[in-house]
Amino acid sequence: QVQLVESGGGSVQAGGSLRLSCAASGRTFSNYTMGWFRQAPGKERELVAAITWSGGYTHYANAMKGRLTISGDNAKKTVYLQMNNLKPEDTAVYYCAARIAPTVTYYSGSWDYWGQGTQVTVSS
């Protein structure tokens, strides 16, 4: 089992920044992928960024491309998501997820572990 705990959410004004953290514990694998999803009220959960733990390959979805940086600290088993120039439409619950495979998929059903989510609210 892998446990994921997110932190760093909060309320900011449009144009502001936040850094989310996801700490992994339990059994972890070197060949898995970490991702950040978000889900706004009434909308489906969508992938915004992902990183492969072994190769450091990063992927960004178009929705927030250019405003995100995903990174990982192997020693701390922690993944970060730096979000800049936030917009009101970025308001959502952000979830950390882990997939025991070295590939990225947008399909949320193919991710194996999930955190509890952290709320991000952007006001205009």
Side-chain angles (χ1 to χ4, degrees):
Q1 285 287 344
V2 174
Q3 292 79 43
L4 304 174
V5 179
E6 303 102 331
S7 61
S11 297
V12 295
Q13 290 191 329
S17 299
L18 282 174
R19 188 175 84 152
L20 306 182
S21 299
C22 174
S25 61
R27 187 179 183 185
T28 54
F29 302 88
S30 61
N31 65 337
Y32 66 109
T33 300
M34 299 295 294
W36 285 97
F37 285 74
R38 69 179 183 180
Q39 188 167 21
K43 294 189 176 180
E44 292 187 355
R45 192 170 296 190
E46 63 174 351
L47 177 73
V48 295
I51 184 169
T52 57
W53 208 246
S54 58
Y57 165 78
T58 58
H59 177 82
Y60 299 97
N62 288 334
M64 297 184 75
K65 205 168 190 176
R67 300 187 290 125
L68 298 179
T69 302
I70 187 170
S71 60
D73 185 326
N74 286 342
K76 295 182 178 180
K77 295 182 180 179
T78 300
V79 176
Y80 304 98
L81 184 68
Q82 177 68 41
M83 305 188 294
N84 299 321
N85 191 23
L86 285 163
K87 304 175 181 181
E89 53 264 41
D90 296 322
T91 295
V93 177
Y94 285 71
Y95 296 90
C96 177
R99 182 165 186 262
I100 305 176
T103 55
V104 178
T105 175
Y106 280 75
Y107 177 50
S108 60
S110 292
W111 292 75
D112 301 289
Y113 301 101
W114 293 86
Q116 81 286 354
T118 185
Q119 176 71 45
V120 171
T121 302
V122 185
S123 58
S124 58

